[in-house]
Amino acid sequence: MTRQKTLRTCKAGHRYYKSSDCNTCPVCEASAKQNNSWCAGLSAPARRALEGAGIDSVKKLSMFTKAEILALHGLGPSSVPKLHAILAANGQSFRDSKR
Ligand SMILES: [Zn+2]
């Protein structure tokens, strides 16, 4: 059994052939991985602030308190709800500053 490969265009305008029902664009997928997909929802300055502090994963983010994260240059209070959501989605949270 062979399935016809069809030409598709993703939201970003990449054109690719796929035969499966999966609509994932390989170009977007690859660039998302390169751009640290774990924090893809954040603004560019916020991502740079995290990278500058060596935070490149949810696990590392969970080792910081909210106050420490807010002290990073370029990371404003508007990013905190997004970080909370990222942490919660991975079963993590900010480090408790009281401990
Ligand atoms: Zn794409």
Side-chain angles (χ1 to χ4, degrees):
M1 68 173 232
T2 50
R3 291 184 77 166
Q4 194 77 35
K5 285 197 172 189
T6 54
L7 178 63
R8 308 185 192 184
T9 308
C10 83
K11 284 175 198 150
H14 307 126
R15 305 178 85 193
Y16 57 101
Y17 284 95
K18 270 213 168 175
S19 57
S20 70
D21 293 327
C22 168
N23 272 321
T24 310
C25 165
V27 181
C28 287
E29 204 173 33
S31 72
K33 271 176 193 152
Q34 267 173 18
N35 294 332
N36 277 340
S37 56
W38 71 274
C39 58
L42 292 174
S43 65
R47 276 206 304 266
R48 277 198 294 271
L50 293 174
E51 279 165 27
I55 303 169
D56 57 7
S57 67
V58 178
K59 187 96 187 128
K60 282 191 185 163
L61 178 62
S62 71
M63 288 153 67
F64 288 77
T65 66
K66 194 166 96 178
E68 285 169 339
I69 292 297
L70 273 169
L72 297 176
H73 181 74
L75 205 140
S78 63
S79 297
V80 170
K82 288 174 191 164
L83 289 171
H84 263 299
I86 291 168
L87 285 163
N90 289 276
Q92 308 276 345
S93 61
F94 284 121
R95 194 166 67 83
D96 192 339
S97 56
K98 293 181 198 83
R99 264 183 277 163

